[in-house]
């Protein structure tokens, strides 16, 4: 718009430090410029459609986007830190059979502004500083690569968050993992593995037909080698499907074969009423699964269910407009 470069810094300060909700409010910008900006861009928080708070103070938000679409975010306060769970897309194309978001299919990518906007809104409602964010809401972050990278940089450079406190979770998009390895961003990468063999994995996660476990773990090993950072492996436990001690041994062996260090985060299935009839694993089989992994020298954590009165599993709120699960592992880290 022909403005000097320092105007960019002024606008960023208004948005990220002063929480401006309109260009009109940016009083140190020339009036004509503010009007021109308002014609071509928007600023301000996303519109809230629904909000639910659990007794443990976990808060689930449903946001309205232009065009009538909706995404979810979760606010997760812990004793020593506050984390949020962010959506990266409206819907998702991965089609995971256990996931509520997948049931509605894919609509569109979120812009970097819409991703960061979720956090800015939750920050505006909290008197504690949000220090951590996980990209574990709706969508596949690595299929919205450019906007996700841009949002990570904004959270770091403008909001002031540490990159180490930002976690991107992927279904295993191999080209995205390899590209991320080149970005030189010390974020945490989490892989949703969920099965130790390709037959089962591609049954649960249709995208698994495209990238085999071996190929995904090779990309993870390359990521770890390039960045010097261990990944986290997420393993969703579904009763009678992928929770046997043999499957735990197989999982440990596959990770060891690729010399992957990294923690395994066990996530008991959070009930979604899909036609599959999946159920939560028995408490004993979760303990046994964990024991097998630890016997094989693998550190594990287990996600606790929080906010049982509200529905916080991926896509559940949008699906039911109620609220439920949230993430906390036994080490107290997300
Ligand atoms: N697409 C990314 C991030 C979004 S999903 C990914 O696949 O990692 C975040 C995590 O929630 C994933 O590990 C996903 O498999 C898990 N998840 C989805 N549905 C779930 C359910 N019903 N119960 C528990 N975890 C679920």
């Amino acid at each position: 718009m022909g403005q000097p470069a320092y105007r960019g810094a002024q606008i960023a300060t208004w948005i990220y430090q002063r929480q401006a909700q309109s260009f009109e409010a940016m009083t140190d910008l020339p009036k004509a410029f503010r009007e021109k900006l308002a014609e071509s861009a928007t600023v301000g928080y996303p519109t809230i459609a629904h909000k639910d708070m659990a007794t443990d103070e976990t808060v689930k938000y449903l946001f309205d986007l232009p065009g009538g679409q909706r995404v979810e975010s979760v606010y997760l306060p812990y004793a020593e830190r506050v984390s949020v769970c962010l959506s990266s897309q409206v819907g998702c194309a991965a089609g995971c059979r256990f996931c509520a978001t997948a049931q509605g299919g894919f609509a569109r990518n979120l812009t970097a502004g819409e991703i960061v906007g979720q956090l800015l809104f939750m920050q505006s409602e909290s008197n504690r500083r949000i220090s951590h964010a996980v990209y574990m809401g709706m969508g596949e972050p690595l299929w919205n690569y450019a906007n996700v990278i841009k949002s990570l940089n904004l959270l770091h450079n403008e909001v002031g968050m540490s990159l180490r406190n930002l976690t991107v979770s992927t279904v295993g998009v191999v080209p995205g993992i390899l590209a991320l390895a080149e970005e030189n961003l010390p974020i945490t990468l989490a892989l949703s593995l969920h099965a130790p063999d390709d037959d089962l994995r591609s049954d649960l996660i249709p995208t698994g037909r495209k990238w085999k476990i071996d190929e995904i773990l090779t990309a993870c090993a390359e990521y770890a080698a390039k960045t010097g950072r261990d990944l986290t492996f997420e393993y969703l436990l579904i009763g009678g499907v992928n929770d046997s001690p043999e499957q735990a041994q197989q999982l440990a062996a596959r990770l060891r074969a690729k010399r992957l260090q990294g923690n395994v985060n066990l996530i008991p299935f959070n009930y979604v009423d899909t036609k599959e009839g999946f159920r939560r694993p028995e408490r004993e089989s979760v303990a046994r699964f964990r024991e097998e992994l630890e016997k094989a020298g693998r550190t594990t954590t287990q996600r606790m269910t929080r906010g049982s009165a509200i529905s916080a599993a991926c896509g559940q709120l949008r699906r039911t407009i109620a609220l439920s699960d949230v993430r906390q592992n036994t080490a107290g880290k997300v």
Side-chain angles (χ1 to χ4, degrees):
M1 292 181 173
Q3 293 287 325
Y6 69 87
R7 295 275 185 231
Q10 279 180 303
I11 294 170
T13 303
W14 276 111
I15 294 174
Y16 297 104
Q17 259 76 66
R18 298 184 184 167
Q19 290 79 41
Q21 296 298 303
S22 70
F23 290 112
E24 191 50 42
M26 303 181 183
T27 48
D28 55 0
L29 302 180
K31 194 156 178 31
F33 179 41
R34 279 186 266 159
E35 283 164 6
K36 221 167 132 191
L37 281 168
E39 281 166 22
S40 57
T42 54
V43 68
Y45 298 139
T47 317
I48 180 170
H50 192 85
K51 174 180 166 181
D52 259 321
M53 192 192 280
T55 46
D56 59 12
E57 292 184 11
T58 296
V59 189
K60 180 109 189 191
Y61 291 94
L62 187 65
F63 292 113
D64 272 325
L65 300 173
Q69 291 144 334
R70 289 176 158 183
V71 288
E72 300 175 17
S73 315
V74 192
Y75 174 85
L76 300 152
Y78 299 96
E80 72 296 351
R81 77 206 150 83
V82 177
S83 185
V84 291
C85 179
L86 304 176
S87 289
S88 57
Q89 298 183 312
V90 182
C92 185
C96 301
R97 284 170 53 204
F98 45 79
C99 176
T101 300
Q103 313 306 313
F106 172 73
R108 71 169 173 89
N109 282 329
L110 293 185
T111 64
E114 287 169 333
I115 297 170
V116 176
Q118 299 164 54
L119 182 138
L120 294 180
F121 181 83
M122 290 187 275
Q123 184 62 82
S124 77
E125 295 228 311
S126 173
N127 52 17
R128 293 179 63 192
R129 182 175 169 269
I130 298 169
S131 58
H132 290 64
V134 295
Y135 287 61
M136 294 185 184
M138 298 169 74
E140 168 48 47
L142 298 186
W143 277 329
N144 185 15
Y145 191 85
N147 291 329
V148 163
I149 297 291
K150 194 170 172 185
S151 69
L152 291 166
N153 283 317
L154 286 169
L155 290 176
H156 178 55
N157 298 329
E158 306 296 345
V159 182
M161 295 176 78
S162 161
L163 287 167
R164 287 176 185 273
N165 294 348
L166 303 177
T167 298
V168 170
S169 178
T170 181
V171 73
V173 178
V174 168
I177 296 170
L178 296 175
L180 200 56
E182 307 292 336
E183 297 282 349
N184 206 16
L185 290 172
I187 57 158
T188 302
L189 182 60
L191 173 71
S192 295
L193 196 48
H194 304 347
D197 66 273
D198 284 308
D199 282 349
L200 179 58
R201 190 170 194 272
S202 54
D203 186 31
L204 295 173
I205 304 174
T207 333
R209 281 179 219 122
K210 188 160 178 181
W211 295 294
K212 297 279 177 269
I213 295 175
D214 191 70
E215 201 186 339
I216 296 171
L217 294 183
T218 301
C220 291
E222 192 166 327
Y223 180 90
K226 280 239 165 75
T227 61
R229 291 179 63 78
D230 290 336
L231 288 87
T232 296
F233 301 97
E234 293 162 280
Y235 194 96
L236 173 71
L237 287 163
I238 305 173
V241 173
N242 65 351
D243 63 341
S244 75
E246 294 72 32
Q247 285 162 317
Q249 291 159 5
Q250 241 181 308
L251 172 66
R254 290 209 80 144
L255 296 177
R256 192 173 47 238
K258 295 284 177 192
R259 295 181 197 284
L260 284 159
Q261 300 289 325
N263 176 68
V264 173
N265 191 15
L266 299 174
I267 316 166
F269 173 63
N270 198 6
Y271 184 73
V272 174
D273 65 341
T274 64
K275 58 181 186 309
E276 321 292 346
F278 289 147
R279 59 174 172 85
R280 271 180 95 85
E282 304 296 331
R283 201 179 273 271
E284 298 71 44
S285 54
V286 176
R288 185 75 204 282
F289 198 93
R290 185 171 185 170
E291 211 177 281
E292 288 298 334
L293 287 175
E294 288 176 352
K295 248 196 270 169
R298 183 65 46 180
T299 53
T300 59
T301 47
Q302 188 183 326
R303 190 180 296 167
M304 310 295 277
T305 298
R306 287 179 42 155
S308 50
I310 57 178
S311 59
C314 196
Q316 277 192 351
L317 182 61
R318 186 182 65 158
R319 198 163 146 79
T320 61
I321 320 267
L323 181 121
S324 98
D325 147 77
V326 174
R327 37 194 79 226
Q328 179 190 35
N329 60 41
T330 50
K333 294 184 293 187
V334 168

